[in-house]
Amino acid sequence: MNAFLRYISSQFKNPKGWGGRLVCYIQNKVNCRMYNRLVDMLDLKATDKLLDVGFGNGHLLKLIYEKHPVDMFGVDVSADAIAMATSRNGKAAANGQLHLQVADCCDLPFPDDSFSAVTSINTVYFWQDVLKGLSEIRRVLASGKSFYNVAYTPQYLNTISFTQVGYNKLCAEQLVQLGKQAGFSRVSVYPLVEGKSFVVIYTK
């Protein structure tokens, strides 16, 4: 893989600078159907709190807030992502309903049972320890609530040049088994974009 493709791959993992802004913009355009279908799946009340893991430039958070104006929290490994996401979510920020910080999903800085829903799109490939990340997400979820984990299939990722290095391509069955090991009471899989992507719903 040449240096440019390695650079693009690294920016999807940890967006920074102009490259980070570019890949986030591309991701928003390419993944629009995935974003919209995930938002439609959420059933949130005004008093709920939502956590988005790997919020990037905050596009998903903006879509969620337009339909469900709840308190939104986000963690991302990129410090640059905070400025991008805050700028995109000005209304939520002005209303005191946007809370973003640099953190890793394997060590979430929140108390147990904090959230009514957790979301993540196209980040699981980059987690250092998927089982630990799922266990941490389960810990911060309230009882009976769900984590919506959206990913592309390994088969689709194998058709993209820059995903050949730095991506841990897990199939739905592997993510289901890891969710059971993490202690979720119910794990379900649904297709999002046929032949390309799916969502694993983990319920505590």
Side-chain angles (χ1 to χ4, degrees), residues 120-140:
S120 186
I121 286 187
N122 288 332
T123 70
V124 70
Y125 329 116
F126 309 120
W127 297 4
Q128 293 183 2
D129 185 329
V130 176
L131 178 57
K132 187 174 182 181
L134 288 171
S135 298
E136 269 291 272
I137 289 170
R138 182 187 179 279
R139 179 183 65 79
V140 302

Side-chain angles (χ1 to χ4, degrees), residues 97-149:
Q97 292 182 288
L98 186 70
H99 316 276
L100 308 177
Q101 59 185 296
V102 175
D104 190 286
C105 67
C106 293
D107 186 20
L108 293 172
F110 306 108
D112 296 357
D113 308 313
S114 294
F115 299 104
S116 303
V118 179
T119 57
S120 186
I121 286 187
N122 288 332
T123 70
V124 70
Y125 329 116
F126 309 120
W127 297 4
Q128 293 183 2
D129 185 329
V130 176
L131 178 57
K132 187 174 182 181
L134 288 171
S135 298
E136 269 291 272
I137 289 170
R138 182 187 179 279
R139 179 183 65 79
V140 302
L141 262 176
S143 179
K145 303 302 182 179
S146 298
F147 166 43
Y148 300 79
N149 186 21

Side-chain angles (χ1 to χ4, degrees), residues 3 9 12 31-32 47 63 76 78 84 105 111 138 158 178 192-193 202 204:
S9 178
F12 276 100
N31 297 336
C32 61
T47 55
L63 293 177
D76 202 293
S78 169
M84 290 190 288
C105 67
R138 182 187 179 279
N158 284 336
L178 287 166
L192 277 188
V193 179
Y202 304 88
K204 183 172 177 178

Side-chain angles (χ1 to χ4, degrees), residues 1-23:
M1 177 183 288
N2 65 39
F4 177 72
L5 292 179
R6 289 183 183 276
Y7 172 76
I8 294 298
S9 178
S10 70
Q11 287 292 342
F12 276 100
K13 179 179 180 179
N14 186 357
K16 10 183 186 182
W18 69 267
R21 291 191 294 273
L22 176 62
V23 299

